[in-house]
Amino acid sequence: MSTPVPGSRRPGAVRLGTTRDGPRCALRDCLRDLHWMAATRFLVVIDDAVAVLSEAPDEREILLRALDDAVTFWAGRPGLPGQERSSFEVVLPGPPAAGSHH
């Protein structure tokens, strides 16, 4: 379960709850439990995805699977009559290619 973080400087920041089933389930549940947010579009951007948890491949796999689970969940969720259907997207940009001028 996720809950808003009171006083956070980051809009939409959430605190992960705990679960008996481990960190993947806690993150997956958090990414599915967004009904309390007044939004229909969710975007997760992870800068320099190549470096994220590069020192912890097992935790990186947990993160990527939980994000994939969330995308699948939101894509399969039917919209309610008269309401815009929610979307959930994840962007994992890597570092600029060698020689690029970004």
Side-chain angles (χ1 to χ4, degrees):
M1 178 176 206
S2 60
T3 56
V5 178
S8 174
R9 292 181 298 194
R10 296 175 184 236
V14 295
R15 176 175 293 130
L16 290 178
T18 58
T19 176
R20 296 183 283 135
D21 299 323
R24 178 175 173 219
C25 291
L27 179 58
R28 182 196 63 215
D29 291 350
C30 172
L31 296 173
R32 288 180 175 188
D33 182 25
L34 300 174
H35 66 277
W36 52 270
M37 296 182 83
T40 57
R41 295 183 180 164
F42 302 97
L43 175 65
V44 175
V45 179
I46 299 178
D47 292 328
D48 197 2
V50 173
V52 171
L53 299 172
S54 62
E55 304 281 325
D58 291 343
E59 291 182 15
R60 181 187 181 109
E61 184 65 23
I62 289 169
L63 172 63
L64 295 177
R65 284 187 180 193
L67 291 170
D68 186 60
D69 288 350
V71 169
T72 301
F73 171 81
W74 285 99
R77 190 164 186 220
L80 297 174
Q83 293 184 354
E84 185 177 348
R85 186 171 180 197
S86 296
S87 68
F88 188 95
E89 298 176 71
V90 177
V91 178
L92 303 167
S100 75
H101 299 286
H102 291 269

